[in-house]
Amino acid sequence: MSAFLEVKNLSVAFPTEDGVVQAVDSLSFSVEKGKTLGIVGESGSGKSVTSLAILGLQKGSRAKVSGQIWVDGNEIVAASESEVRKLRGKAMSMIFQDALAALHPYYTVGHQIAEAYLVHNDVSKKAAMARAVEMLDRVGIPEPHKRVNDFPHQFSGGMRQRAMIAMALSCNPSLLIADEPTTALDVTVQAQILELLRDLQKEFGTAIILITHDLGVVAETADDILLMYAGKQIEYGTVRDVLQVPQHPYAWGLLTSIPRLTGDPNLALTAIQGAPPSLISVPSGCAFHPRCTYVDNVGAACSTLIPELIPVSEGKHHSVRCHMSAKVREQLFTSQVAPHL
Amino acid sequence: MTTTNSPILSVQGLTKHFPGGREGFFGKRDVVQAVDGVTFDVAPGEALGLVGESGCGKSTTGRLITRLLEPTAGSVVFEGQDISHFSNAQMQPIRTQLQMIFQDPYASLNPRHTVGTIVSTPFKINKVTPEGGVKKRVQEILEIVGLNPEHYNRYPHEFSGGQRQRIGIARALALRPKLIVADEPVSALDVSIQAQIINLMKDLQKDFGLTFVFIAHDLAVVRHFAQRVAVMYLGNIVEIADRDTLYATPKHPYTKALLSAVPEADPDAVGARERIRLTGDVPNPINPPSGCRFRTRCWKAADICATQAPALLQIGKTQVACHFPE
Amino acid sequence: MLKYTFRRIISGTLVLGIVSAIVFAIFYILPSDPARLACGKSCTPDLVARIQVALELDQPLPIQYGRFIKGIFVGRTYLGNTDASRECGAPCLGYSYQTDLPVTELLLDRLPATLSIAVGASILWLLIGLSSGIISALRRGTWIDRTSQGFALAAASLQIYFVGLILQFIFVDKLAWLPMPGYTSPFDYPMDWAKQMVLPWVTLAFLLSAIYSRLTRSGMIETMGEDFVRTARAKGLSSRDINLKHVLRAAMTPIVTVFGLDLGSLLGGAVITEYVFNIPGLGKLSTEAVTNLDLPVVTGTVLFAAFFIITANIVVDLLYSVLDPKVRLT
């Protein structure tokens, strides 16, 4: 086991009044140090639940977590809350989508960064504040020694996300989970934040899990892509493979339905019919089958059997969950999908 | 793009200032200059895209056009009538012609009303009885926007986000308006749903000859919907041109930066494109920079930019407000 | 902040002016004749007429009100109905029809008892309410939570006069552990004061700790679901730090607001409690005044209560700006 983060057969289920919601179902992936994995999915795909499970934040809740999560040789799922707590913020940390909500409104930005540093380092409060200033400076906040005393609401949206990053990186974690870190930001600010993350990754060799719904963001920052649908990983591989020779009809649908800055804008977008399923009533068999245009190529299996996650070709780090044979997929892709890309 | 027909909507020097907080006890009230001197025309059957980042005033402009807000200065002329300061009573007949679609399909539909009630409300408010009765007409519209007419008696919470946005569109379509202002109609939707709604609105535009003002922050979405695009920054229009010209040869540095910041889902394009990184965030509209409002983030800024606000001038096929256009 | 305080004091004074005008108008427009009320039992038409002149009731209402306001700020002179004129120093709220004593004096005389009840009870209900609310929130769903919240619901639905009388029956009449409630000055006989105050405190706190417990619990539980609490956990903070520094800190702000207003209105007179336990406070004074249609005293108590509520409001708003940095006072 060489990877810094190794997730094996991770499942997360929530018992509810309407039955058990299988939010994440047998997920397996790994991330090396200095690399970025993009977990992509729409609402309800289970991508955020996965990130919380890695940090062990579902401990003490009603969620049932099974499988294994290895972070730098420590297993998270079976570990006790106090063991995981020592890793949180230190070995692994997280930044969230809405930085305004994710920062405490009544404490200064500096206090909150210093607090994160103090938990894991036996230093004075003064030293921790100095660390906060240093981190704010590192993430590009102008006049950090002054802004350290500001409250979150006094920061702009982009600066708040920078402050979140400063807080998450204050203890030099080896794993950073970024949950939709730029979704609430304007594009020009999003570009700044993504660049900052790339720079920091280069400097510290951090492994990053980037959770997003935006294939563009993944293309620009990630090395690998894990595509999720209704709690399952349906395609997994390098960014180049998944975006250029996508295998799953859902990936095809996503890639042909997003509006782009290139290509003929007068052509209608190829929309995926229907809507993502609710996790309370996930369709039987392949969860995507009610929206899939290609079910006729397979037959009954799509609605009855859950397809296995199979490598696209022998020994390749690109796998897909689809009943269609590789040959049929290739044929369909070149004839029907590629022209729309 | 100039059309031979007279414009259906003509906006001249449109300005909206909101009162902000007060400085001290006897101090002046702050003024948020949300929209400041915006001018553009929309030809019948055209879709004009209004793009910009948060705080640029695009949504306020949309609300001024539909007269949900009253302008501080400037005029909104709809079909030859200056509606800038019309009272609610005067707006009544205009509203049947001028409808709005909102961003949040969750918040903009009353959860206690059935779909039928929601879509038939415009008929009741405007005391219009369509041929064959309201219910028949509403069910027709539901079918047009791709909803099952039998869902007439269902409530909004029984629908997914995309379907809810279809209900919003159905409501806007009810009175067969001429102009629809769509404010971020797809930005709250899942990626796979966005295309459905864009396609639907495009079809409606074609089938009914609708005119659209399409407000969005996403340049790629606007490119797929609008024939002409206006880029806004801090309450001003900085560039306006037909779509192909604007996306191929942006003239304003801001437009250029905005386009280069859009992440593309193509690994080959990532290294190939020119990158322009703007520094900082959009400044506060309470106290916008003097002269050109973009100058604080512009790499081309010179002394003149701080002293003189650039006028929106015609250069080739583009109107651009910049001292040093590309 | 200073300017803000100044502005609030001015607007608060204005509100007091409006309250006084309304109270004044209501009482003096009432069909009952104040002179007849002030006249007492052995009354003659002649005496009524003389009192009307003495109380300036023959004057138009605006002039009466003007003199009333002037009395508050600079004092006023009354013509005596029997002998020479009376000097009523500022702040003058007139004389009681019943006892002929200055209203200001009556109010100040009754204030210590009310103050004793309000301050003592509020400390008690804060202690019980907050701690049980916090424990309930932290042990949500357990038997501790269910017991304490069930108890709180029951307590909140009981009336003060009911609880008060029951407690008095048990602890005073049956067990004789406590003396009859009442008021003695804590500076003279501190132990007696405390013993006599225990029942009013407990009775008031009974109801209010129930309300504060539920308030604290729901505030804490709501805050626990906030994103910033998740952030605190992601940082690796211990649950003790998370609950005290992050959750409680945020949940306290609305409680402070409610507390300020509760205390303010209580200072105007714990009407029912004082009535039940027969304690000579402001609330007792006002009920007596209303029963006897002693209009100057009624006006005085209403104004006094309004003063406390308005002051509490200003204090709460100032405190809020300290507790919540997002609140900018302008």
Side-chain angles (χ1 to χ4, degrees), chain A residues 52 55-57 59 81 85 88-89 92-94 96 98 101-107 112-113 115-116 119-120 151 153 164 167, chain C residues 223 226-239 241 244-247 249-251 253-254 320 323-327:
Chain A
L52 296 179
L55 278 182
L57 286 179
K59 288 184 190 296
E81 163 70 15
R85 188 160 68 75
R88 266 185 226 138
M92 53 186 183
S93 61
M94 187 159 177
F96 301 95
D98 184 354
L103 291 167
H104 200 294
Y106 298 164
Y107 293 116
Q112 299 189 52
I113 300 172
E115 190 182 30
V119 193
H120 303 290
F151 290 95
H153 71 273
M164 274 293 291
M167 188 165 85
Chain C
T223 315
E226 295 281 354
D227 282 5
F228 59 79
V229 175
R230 186 183 57 187
T231 309
R233 293 188 64 203
K235 283 196 226 178
L237 291 186
S238 66
S239 42
D241 277 357
L244 289 181
K245 290 188 189 156
H246 289 251
V247 179
R249 173 70 180 79
T253 317
Y320 214 95
L323 287 174
D324 185 350
K326 268 186 294 183
V327 176

Side-chain angles (χ1 to χ4, degrees), chain A residues 60-126:
Chain A
S61 76
R62 285 185 302 168
K64 298 225 175 338
V65 185
S66 62
Q68 292 178 339
I69 300 169
W70 291 91
V71 179
D72 203 12
N74 301 289
E75 207 286 310
I76 303 289
V77 175
S80 72
E81 163 70 15
S82 63
E83 284 167 331
V84 180
R85 188 160 68 75
K86 285 185 196 120
L87 298 173
R88 266 185 226 138
K90 190 168 199 255
M92 53 186 183
S93 61
M94 187 159 177
I95 56 179
F96 301 95
Q97 172 176 348
D98 184 354
L100 183 60
L103 291 167
H104 200 294
Y106 298 164
Y107 293 116
T108 62
V109 170
H111 175 101
Q112 299 189 52
I113 300 172
E115 190 182 30
Y117 191 63
L118 272 173
V119 193
H120 303 290
N121 295 278
D122 190 17
V123 292
S124 69
K125 278 198 174 150
K126 218 173 150 193

Side-chain angles (χ1 to χ4, degrees), chain A residues 221-240:
Chain A
T221 39
D223 300 289
D224 283 351
I225 292 188
L226 179 90
L227 188 57
M228 288 187 75
Y229 190 82
K232 286 193 180 65
Q233 82 194 88
I234 56 167
E235 188 159 348
Y236 179 37
T238 63
V239 165
R240 192 159 287 275

Side-chain angles (χ1 to χ4, degrees), chain B residues 116-131 133-135 137-138 141 170-171 173-176:
Chain B
T117 316
I118 290 168
V119 180
S120 58
T121 306
F123 293 111
K124 285 189 195 111
I125 293 176
N126 292 287
K127 302 181 187 75
V128 179
T129 316
E131 239 176 276
V134 173
K135 183 166 179 178
R137 176 82 186 113
V138 169
I141 300 167
R171 175 175 59 185
L173 277 183
L175 297 168
R176 291 192 183 279

